[in-house]
Amino acid sequence: MSLGSRVERLPRTPVADAGQHPELVGRARQLREITALLGHGSADSRDLLLSGEPGVGKSALLGEVARVMSAAGARVLSAGGVRFESELAYAGLHQLLLPLNGRIERLEDTHRRVLRSALGYGGDPVPEGLHVSHAVLFLLRQAATERPVFIVVDDLGCFDGASSAVLDFVARRPSGSRIGLLAACRSGAETFLDRAGFTEYELPPLDRDAAVKLLGARFPGLTGPARDHVLAQAQGNPLALVELPAALGGPHRDAPADLHDVLPLSPRLRSRHASRVAGLPAEARRLLLLLALDDTGDPGVLRAGLRAGSDDPKALTALSAVESDRLITFDDTNRRFVFRHPLMRAAVVEASTLTERCQAHRTLAEIRAQAPERRAWHLGRATLVPDERVAALLEEAGHRAARRGDATAAVATFTRAAELSPRPADRGRRLTRAAYLAADATGELRAASELLDRARCADPDLTGSLTAATRVLFLLNGGDGDIDMAHRLLVEAIETGRHGYDAGDEALIETLHMLRLVCWSAGRDALWKPFHAALDRLKPAAPPLLSACAMSWRDPAGTGSVDRHDMAPVCLDRLTEPRDVSWDAVRRGRRGGHVRRHIDALMHLCLQDFPAGRWEEAETLATEGLTICEERQYPFFSWYFEYHQALLAAVRGQFEESRSTADRITEWAVPRGVLAAAAFADHARILAELGAGDHECAYRHAVAISPAGRLAPHAPYALWVCMDLVEAAVHTRRTAEAEAHVQAMREAGVAALSPRLALLAAGSAALVAPDDGAVRCFEQALALPGAQEWLFDLARIRLAYGERLRRMRFVTEARAQLEAAAEVFERLGARPWADRATGELRATRRSRTGAKHGSVTLTGQEQEIATLAATGLTNKQIGERLHLSPRTVGSHLYQLFPKLGIASRAGLRGALASLPGGNTF
């Protein structure tokens, strides 16, 4: 059996087991590809050269491939290049053939003498290389007669020339020799091997997901900003990922404050990379340091650096030598200089002195005079003593970074501004801003707490609304989430603050936004009074965004205003561009951007996806949101994503799962006063009960959100369940309540708020319309512009329309609506509604001829009542489903039993099954 055939039969388990080795996280695909290349095609295809940058994981992958080959039955011969042995002839061959020493002694005399001499076992002169190559090939072929031979060579660039020549000869062996060869070397490294005879496989860095997984496995306690900084600097290099965090001290691991510069190297990385920089000419090191600290690769930095430096004509020559030595390269596509290895930038910084770094930062501050944030940061790193001018520039740069969404940079910048602040009050204020951003935007509560403690130490008299807002974030995310306490802290800070209700006071406005979130979460009118009072006192006027938010939450239906920026918008369905904006925030969040904006964007997308029928995407995003809340210390917002999971479970017929998730939300929310979350849980319960056919229970949950005939203020989510409430009321024969709710929607102008709410309002009106006006009302609802975008809501209206048409004996028209509804429900996976639509379709077929039992004919309604009763539904539930009173249902059953020859419900199933074309259950 050839090596190729053995590889083809490799079990999948060894590849999957690669995930057990931390260095091989994310390498399953490469392992499969390499084993496939080694095992398929011609003999030449079984010789593979694995290349990649230092630390990318070549050695670990080589070891795993060797293990896989050994498990497949091959004899593995391995060796690694050693730099100090690269001048020693046949040193590599000595390693490689060590397991075959016994077989060498059994060779015929000529080959034995040649190999013993080459390997230094005898006193004979070293033979010619060709003789050695022939002897080695002969030896390997003999060994391969017993089982395939697989040669693995690591660090080929350090393999001695004589051994490389032998490998080159073996690689050109005739096909069918059952010998395979896999060698690894650094990308671009010179070797003695003729690459033309090899298939070359470039091992790429890990992708971000694999890098995150590896980092999480090795350093689970690493804070988010520190993790993101390591990921950015390592650029997927496995060695860097496992070594960089080891070099981080406590401040780096626990706080986002000092992560704006290059991370330090571990001793292992320092010895591997920094030595290449230390031997460079001083001018070359100076220019490389500018590139490293600037981190944009802008050629203009080098040009300006040359002007700012000496007139040494050797500078450019030295820089060219650096590029030739593969420390940097020029990317022609992006017109930027790039460090060849992700850690070379850190090595350049590591090899510099404090004085050299300060001077480089000053030079870069001059070069970046037109880029305020970069100029301020470089000035901040070049300044070693308190300086208010530089601190003020850094503070402004921090505000810019925060507005841009780069929370980690903003925290670091505010922290550095505080460190350079001569006055304690300024230092405390800037540290408070850093603490607030750390808690709000990155979720790093421990780091935020430490920053707030430092702020109090700097200014013991420190008070203010932003301090209270930060404490509220601690309370909501790190404490017990008590809404009433959070409300008291914010209101007291606002009412006793020295801000003078200045609308330009950024800290005050941010605190008011925080108070708005707390009031909304509370779901109680009384808590909004201080918020609106503060808003009315703002001078000269409240900012437009805050004012619009306040109006939309106070009376969303009455004001007709919608806040696209809020955590839970009234009706995002009326908007188009926010979906793109939200996806952009998600993508930036996945790359380590503003965590709160990432969470908010996921909330917006889930809210849009559910009514639009993008349920699989909603499920994926809800899971992502829960993971972020757990990993980044935002437990307060977890309920929102659980709510979406409960919704999806409800519409898919997973009623118990939906109810238990809703109960879990309520059990968390009610003790903490987060009644909005409890209302959201009721929304999930409504859909679960509607799907299960329990309209009475659905009605109770609907009126818990908003009473029939009234749209609750400060509860925009009440608009989402308006048609649910009407449907449940109609099915429970609460006609007056249903009509009152439709009238309240009409008077509030709900239909004008958004296309989806227009559809829900029109559908609600059709549900309560009398038979002589029902067709017109349903047709108006279906004809609304944009109605096709809301798949689930539209299908529900079609189902109700088909049910009404069937009761009105318009069977053909009913079938058209029911078939359209059933098709959508099936496509969405809305099992309970699909079953209901299918049952109605069956009833339309029965209503044409009735069902006969012997000489007895059942009407269509009798047949439907019997079928529902056979499934175990009570008279009340059947009546709710068919718009009949329980007494009418009982009367029909009383007349049915004698017709079918049975005495009780227990006989219904068998009796119906015995009918021609009878039901199966």
Side-chain angles (χ1 to χ4, degrees), residues 761-805:
S764 300
L767 285 170
V768 302
D771 284 353
D772 58 0
V775 171
R776 176 178 54 81
C777 289
F778 275 110
E779 290 292 341
Q780 287 177 347
L782 298 181
L784 285 172
Q788 299 295 330
E789 294 182 23
W790 317 111
L791 296 179
F792 185 56
D793 298 322
L794 184 62
R796 287 176 60 190
I797 292 172
R798 286 191 184 279
L799 173 59
Y801 189 16
E803 290 172 335
R804 179 72 74 90
L805 288 170

Side-chain angles (χ1 to χ4, degrees), residues 795-861:
R796 287 176 60 190
I797 292 172
R798 286 191 184 279
L799 173 59
Y801 189 16
E803 290 172 335
R804 179 72 74 90
L805 288 170
R806 188 181 69 79
R807 289 200 305 275
M808 294 167 63
R809 310 275 182 182
F810 298 137
V811 176
T812 302
E813 293 83 352
R815 287 185 62 81
Q817 297 300 329
L818 294 171
E819 285 172 352
E823 189 276 328
V824 172
F825 291 140
E826 289 284 354
R827 177 152 45 93
L828 290 175
R831 188 78 264 151
W833 280 266
D835 290 344
R836 182 172 152 192
T838 302
E840 288 287 332
L841 280 168
R842 285 197 300 267
T844 62
R845 288 192 291 268
R846 290 193 295 267
S847 66
R848 291 174 173 175
T849 60
K852 295 184 177 181
H853 179 68
S855 60
V856 178
T857 300
L858 303 182
T859 67
Q861 188 170 72

Side-chain angles (χ1 to χ4, degrees), residues 50 109 142 190 253 363 451 491 579 668 674 794 876:
L50 180 67
D109 191 54
Q142 272 205 343
E190 296 294 331
R253 288 198 184 195
T363 300
L451 287 167
V491 171
R579 183 166 175 81
W668 173 88
V674 189
L794 184 62
K876 181 179 180 182

Side-chain angles (χ1 to χ4, degrees), residues 879-902:
E880 291 175 359
R881 179 73 63 89
L882 302 181
H883 301 278
L884 300 172
S885 70
R887 180 176 298 178
T888 301
V889 174
S891 176
H892 278 293
L893 288 172
Y894 179 77
Q895 297 173 29
L896 274 171
F897 292 165
K899 287 184 179 183
L900 295 175
I902 59 176

